[in-house]
Every structure is written in C-alpha cells, then in structure tokens.
C-alpha cells in the first residue's frame, strides 16, 4: 500500500471513529431541547442508554465477523447502519422512535471504533502502528470537547442536525474506505458463524448494563428486577463461555487468554473503564452544578484535558514506534492518571479555573500516554487470524467497564448527595421566609436540583448547601476513581516489556513493485 493510500485510508478511519465517539457526547447537551420538542421527559435517559448498550453489546461481534469475512464488507456495513440510523433519528416524531433509532445507531457505532483500530493493524506492523494509532487517541480527546459544544450549538439551530451532520461525513468516509480497501486483498476464511455464542453474549451484556443502569435509580439494588438481571447476566455468561469452548469459530476465542499479556491487558482495559474512564464523566458536572456554567461552556472548559491527551497520544506513539516498546508508557500513564484524579478530590466551590484547568491537563497527559499502548499490547500478542477479535475485546472491556463504573460511581455520588442534603438543608431552609421555604419540602435531589440554571437561581442559603453537597459528592467519586486507577499501576507493572513486532514499516514506497499488505505471525 502506497503512503498516499495509507494516509487517505487513515484519514477516513479517523473520520469513522470521530462519528462514533462524537455521538456518545453530542446528544447530552441537546437532550433538554429534544425532550421538550418530543414531549418525552419520562424516557429521556434512554436516548443515551440505548446507544451505549447497543454499542457495547455489538463490539465483539464486529471483530470476529471481520476476521471471517474481511475488513471491507464489515466496516462498510457498520457505516451504512450508522448512517441509516442517523437519518432515521433525525426524522423521529416521538421519543420511542428516537430511542429505537439510537439503539440502531449504536449497533453501527459498535463496529466503527474497533474496526478502525483493526484495519490499521492490517496495514502497518506493531512497531510502526504506535505513531498512527496515537492520532486515534487524539480523536477521543477532540470528541470529548467538541461533542458538548457542537450539541449545544446545534440544539439552538435545530436539534435534528445533530444526527444529519453524520451523513456527509459518513458518506465521505465510506467512499474513501471502499476505494482503498477494495484494491488490496486481506485474508478471509469462510466458516460457520457462532450464532449460539452471539445469542448468549448479546443478552448477557444487555442484562448486565440494564442492571447497573437501573440499580439505585429506577429500582433498588436489592429489588427483584435488578437481582434478576444480574442473575440472568451470570447464567448467560456461563452459557457463552461453555459455547465458546466448543464453537468452530468462537466470537471470543478463549485461546487468546492463554497469552498472559493479552489476559492482563484485558483486565487493565476493564479496570481503566471502571475507574478512570467513568470518573472523567463527572468532571463537567462540577463545572455545571457547582460553578454554574452551561453544558456548552463546561465542554469548552475541558479543552486543557483534550490538549494534554492530543499532545501525549501523538508524541508517545512516535516514541513507541522508535523504541519498539510500550510497557513504561502504560506504567507512567496510569501513575499520571491516578495523580490527576486524586487532584480532583481537592476541588472546592471557589477553586480558581486556572487550577482546575491544570488538573485537567494532568489527566489528559496521562490518558494520552495510556490508551493506545494498551491496544498495541493486545494486538502485538494475538495471531493474525484473531486480530479483529483481539482488538474488539479491548474496546469491549473498556466500554463495559465505563458503563459499570459510571453507574456505580453515580450511585456513590447520589448517596453522598442525599446524606449531605439531609444533614444541611434543614438549617438552610430555616434561614428562609415561610414563602421561600415552602418550595423545598423534600431533601432529595429532584426537589432542589434539575439543571445548572435551577441551582444558580436558588435562594443563597440553599444554593450554598447544594453546591457544597455536590462538591463533597464529587470529591468522593474522584477518590474512589483514583483508588481504582491506582490498581492499574500495579497491573501495568506486571506487563512484560515485550518488543513490538516489525522492525520496519509494512508500508512500501509508492514506486516499489508488488506493494501489498504483509501478513504477520505471532511470535
């Protein structure tokens, strides 16, 4: 593959990743507008939850299908599903339609991210892969900031363009990917699809995510619904593992986990999602509820994290390609991330913006050093025929951990908030006139907090208590997240310091004869 073809393909893959990662963040700031237009306040959280569940559940399937039938048809299918669902979501006339089409959009999005990593791994060696995949990390950083800002702006114009904007970008990516990949042959093997494994895996993931999403909010953690979902997830997982030991072409080849590096990297990805990835979700909440900024403004305030992530993701990728090793980037990145999350436990109502921006910069620097080397570690150790499944396993573990961690940390924060409000709100209400106090008869969240605007206009004694309760709750969240992140330090220290395969790039000069993708074998 010529360098021009590689760069064109790489740009298209970055665009597909941007579409999928952007849709995880762009909808949040526009939800109040969407809910008001479609009159669906009771089900508004499902607009986000449906996409998350569908994305997480479908990720492992795409990896295996691409190993069997090739990258081009599978990634094109994912893009088409994503674009069709985006168009339908923009045309939605009620909340039920929007939720269903967001779920369909998630089915496409589940393949975009993992397959982008996989395709790059097909055309460049692990040694050279770091400097290319470093830019993928930059895409995540950009989407974390651009999503809320773009969502807020488009909601003021017409919220339907949040979905329509995907169409021209997706068509451009689809054309470029198709034109490049159809010129080059990638190994495929026509064998039976593991339908039974898919029938166990997908509902197992759905049951688990529903349990952690509903637990502590829609239902009590000890309710029959939540416990039943956990039990169903456990039974289906056990059945899935049993099926995978007998399947001709398992969705998740268990032989990959016999490699200690792969198994350890999978655990690290899961822990990363639970602690670090989910902890970051709550940073904008501090800016909005405690400092009173709008969702769009809080997105802009995340720029220092994006800058640090882009800088170290790209630069560390080039250094890894030069050195041919990745372990100490993982160790250092996990240390810096743990330090960044620990710094956020020091946030107060009056913390200056420059200081919180510094904390964000530290966190972004650590994430940029950590995320891509972990993917390289997993890709470096698996066999060529398992490359798609191995890559998707990393994304699946991280997404699953993020979903679980977000729900668990949310429960931790809610419990702390309720405790703080119950203890301090009565004293604040005593300082109000009887007419003012009449509106605050309950001490739970729904009575006093609906949005940053509501909090900002509360009577001062109540506002101070609410902001302090949020601060204390978020401090506890970041303390728990930092403690989990510290576990990754120990785990990464056990990673072997292996040399990345491929001392030379697998991309030939455009004038060279017989340009082709060079297959690699596992050491």
């Amino acid at each position: 593959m010529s360098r021009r073809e590689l760069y064109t393909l790489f740009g298209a893959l970055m665009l597909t990743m941007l579409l999928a990662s952007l849709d995880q963040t762009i909808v949040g700031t526009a939800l109040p507008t969407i809910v008001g237009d479609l009159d669906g306040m009771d089900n508004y959280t499902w607009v986000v939850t449906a996409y998350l569940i569908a994305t997480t559940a479908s990720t492992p399937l795409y990896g295996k299908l691409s190993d069997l039938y090739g990258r081009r048809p599978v990634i094109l299918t994912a893009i088409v599903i994503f674009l069709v669902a985006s168009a339908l979501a923009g045309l939605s006339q009620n909340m039920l339609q929007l939720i269903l089409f967001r779920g369909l959009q998630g089915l496409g999005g589940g393949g975009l991210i993992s397959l982008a990593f996989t395709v790059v791994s097909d055309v460049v060696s692990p040694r050279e892969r770091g400097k290319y995949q470093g830019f993928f990390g930059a895409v995540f950083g950009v989407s974390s900031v651009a999503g809320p800002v773009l969502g807020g702006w488009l909601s003021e114009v017409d919220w339907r363009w949040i979905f329509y904007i995907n169409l021209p970008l997706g068509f451009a990516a689809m054309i470029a990917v198709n034109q490049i990949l159809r010129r080059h042959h990638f190994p495929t093997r026509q064998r039976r699809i593991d339908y039974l494994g898919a029938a166990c895996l997908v509902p197992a993931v759905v049951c688990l995510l529903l349990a952690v999403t509903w637990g502590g909010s829609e239902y009590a953690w000890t309710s029959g619904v939540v416990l039943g979902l956990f039990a169903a997830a456990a039974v289906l997982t056990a059945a899935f593992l049993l099926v995978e030991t007998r399947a001709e072409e398992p969705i998740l080849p268990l032989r990959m986990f016999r490699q200690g590096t792969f198994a350890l990297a999978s655990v690290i990805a899961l822990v990363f999602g639970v602690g670090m990835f989910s902890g970051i979700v709550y940073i904008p909440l501090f800016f909005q509820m405690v400092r009173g900024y709008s969702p769009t403004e809080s997105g802009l305030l995340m720029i220092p994290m994006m800058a640090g992530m882009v800088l170290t993701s790209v630069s560390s990728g080039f250094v890894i390609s030069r050195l041919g090793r990745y372990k100490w980037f993982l160790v250092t990145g996990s240390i810096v991330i743990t330090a960044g999350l620990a710094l956020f436990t020091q946030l107060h109502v009056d913390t200056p913006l420059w200081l919180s921006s510094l904390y964000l910069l530290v966190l972004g620097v650590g994430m940029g050093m950590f995320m891509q080397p972990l993917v390289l570690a997993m890709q470096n150790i698996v066999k060529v025929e398992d490359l798609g499944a191995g890559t998707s396993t990393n994304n699946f573990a991280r997404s699953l951990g993020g979903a679980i961690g977000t729900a668990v940390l949310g429960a931790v924060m809610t419990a702390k908030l309720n405790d703080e409000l119950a203890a301090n709100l009565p004293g604040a209400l005593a300082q109000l006139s009887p007419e003012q106090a009449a509106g605050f008869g309950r001490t739970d969240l729904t009575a006093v907090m609906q949005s940053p605007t509501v909090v900002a206009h509360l009577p001062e004694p109540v506002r101070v208590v609410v902001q302090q309760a949020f601060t204390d709750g978020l401090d506890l969240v970041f303390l728990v997240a930092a403690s989990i992140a510290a576990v990754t330090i120990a785990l990464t220290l056990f990673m072997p310091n292996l040399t990345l395969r491929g001392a030379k790039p697998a991309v030939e000069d455009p004038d060279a004869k017989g340009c082709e993708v060079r297959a690699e074998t596992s050491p």
Side-chain angles (χ1 to χ4, degrees):
M1 185 176 291
S2 70
R3 290 197 177 276
R4 181 178 179 180
E5 288 179 321
L6 175 67
Y7 295 151
T8 302
L9 174 63
F10 185 69
L13 294 176
M14 289 182 66
L15 194 55
T16 61
M17 286 190 62
L18 181 63
L19 291 174
S21 58
L22 201 61
D23 259 63
Q24 295 176 349
T25 58
I26 194 173
V27 174
T29 51
L31 267 181
T33 303
I34 297 174
V35 168
D37 190 28
L38 299 181
D39 191 23
M41 178 61 72
D42 294 340
N43 299 312
Y44 81 99
T45 57
W46 277 101
V47 177
V48 176
T49 304
Y51 184 87
L52 174 65
I53 290 177
T55 300
T56 305
S58 62
T59 295
L61 305 182
Y62 279 107
K64 187 60 183 181
L65 289 174
S66 72
D67 285 338
L68 292 176
Y69 299 107
R71 315 300 185 208
R72 186 172 72 95
V74 178
I75 193 171
L76 290 178
T77 300
I79 295 175
V80 169
I81 293 174
F82 187 84
L83 293 182
V84 170
S86 295
L88 292 173
L91 295 171
S92 299
Q93 299 301 308
N94 54 59
M95 284 295 288
L96 177 60
Q97 291 179 5
L98 181 60
I99 291 169
L100 291 176
F101 295 144
R102 280 286 287 171
L104 181 62
Q105 198 179 29
L107 290 178
L112 298 184
I113 295 177
S114 62
L115 290 177
F117 279 107
T118 305
V119 170
V120 169
S121 68
D122 284 325
V123 298
V124 292
S125 68
R127 178 70 177 262
E128 293 295 311
R129 203 173 294 160
K131 62 185 180 183
Y132 293 100
Q133 291 188 354
F135 287 96
F136 285 163
V139 170
F140 285 106
V142 171
S143 64
S144 66
V145 175
V149 175
L150 189 59
W153 177 66
L154 288 176
S155 66
E156 297 175 1
V157 179
D158 184 350
W159 64 264
R160 297 180 187 276
W161 278 98
I162 289 175
F163 304 106
Y164 293 151
I165 197 174
N166 293 330
L167 301 181
L169 300 177
F171 277 122
M174 184 170 60
I175 292 172
V177 169
N178 181 60
Q179 289 297 318
I180 299 298
L181 292 187
R182 74 176 183 176
R183 301 174 191 169
H184 301 276
H185 173 71
F186 294 88
T188 61
R189 55 188 194 275
Q190 299 290 333
R191 298 185 184 179
R192 294 183 59 185
I193 298 176
D194 183 15
Y195 292 108
L196 184 57
C200 294
L201 175 63
V202 173
V205 174
V206 171
C207 288
L208 178 60
L209 292 182
L210 285 177
V212 298
T213 300
W214 285 345
S217 56
E218 299 291 331
Y219 304 95
W221 286 103
T222 55
S223 67
V225 172
V226 174
L227 293 178
L229 287 170
F230 276 126
V235 171
L236 287 168
T237 300
F240 170 72
L241 295 176
L242 179 62
V243 169
E244 296 305 274
T245 61
R246 302 178 179 182
E248 180 183 353
E249 282 292 341
I251 293 173
L252 188 64
L254 299 182
R255 61 177 176 271
M256 297 189 300
F257 292 93
R258 296 171 187 166
Q259 292 279 2
T261 299
F262 184 88
L264 183 57
S266 300
V267 174
I268 292 173
L270 182 67
V271 176
F272 172 79
V274 172
M276 297 174 264
F277 199 67
S278 58
I280 294 166
V281 173
Y282 292 93
I283 296 175
L285 199 61
F286 170 80
F287 289 126
Q288 294 176 39
M289 291 301 189
V290 178
R291 299 304 300 270
Y293 293 104
S294 68
T296 303
E297 291 171 334
S298 69
L300 290 172
L301 291 172
M302 299 289 286
I303 287 178
M305 187 186 78
M306 179 198 73
M309 191 172 175
V310 170
L311 176 65
T312 53
S313 181
V314 175
S315 59
S316 64
F318 277 89
V319 175
I320 289 173
S321 292
R322 181 176 294 274
L323 298 178
R325 294 179 183 271
Y326 55 82
K327 172 179 177 175
W328 294 108
F329 288 89
L330 286 171
V331 175
T332 305
S334 60
I335 292 173
V336 176
I337 291 173
T338 303
L341 290 171
L343 288 173
F344 273 99
T345 63
Q346 305 302 310
L347 289 177
H348 304 290
V349 177
D350 57 352
T351 299
L353 279 179
W354 70 266
L355 190 56
S356 59
S357 297
L358 179 62
Y359 297 166
L360 282 168
L361 179 63
V362 172
L363 194 57
V365 167
M367 290 188 66
M369 296 180 67
F370 183 89
M371 292 179 65
Q372 305 319 311
L374 188 60
V375 180
L376 289 174
M378 300 181 78
Q379 292 179 336
N380 187 58
I381 204 67
V382 298
K383 296 180 179 180
V384 174
E385 59 266 27
D386 294 329
L387 197 53
T391 304
S392 64
T393 298
N394 173 77
N395 290 283
F396 172 71
R398 187 179 61 199
S399 298
L400 185 63
I404 295 172
T406 300
V408 171
L409 293 181
V412 169
M413 187 187 69
T414 301
K416 183 65 174 178
L417 278 170
N418 281 318
D419 290 343
E420 292 295 321
L421 291 173
N424 300 314
L425 193 58
L429 295 177
Q431 302 178 41
L432 304 180
S433 65
E435 294 78 11
Q436 289 178 312
F440 303 100
R442 297 170 60 194
T443 59
D444 61 308
L445 302 179
T446 57
V448 295
M449 293 168 289
Q450 299 295 332
S451 70
T453 304
V454 172
V455 172
H457 289 86
L458 291 172
E460 183 176 358
V462 177
R463 176 174 53 79
V464 170
V465 168
V466 169
Q467 290 176 331
Q468 188 59 51
F470 259 107
T471 302
D472 293 342
L474 289 171
D475 284 348
L476 181 58
V477 164
F478 292 125
L479 179 62
V480 174
S483 301
I484 297 173
V487 175
T488 63
I489 300 176
L491 293 175
T492 53
L493 286 172
F494 284 103
M495 287 285 285
N497 194 20
L498 300 179
T499 300
L500 292 171
R501 290 182 279 129
K504 296 180 180 180
V507 180
E508 304 294 342
D509 292 332
D511 297 330
K513 296 182 179 180
C515 297
E516 61 182 3
V517 178
R518 295 214 306 264
E520 298 169 5
T521 56
S522 182

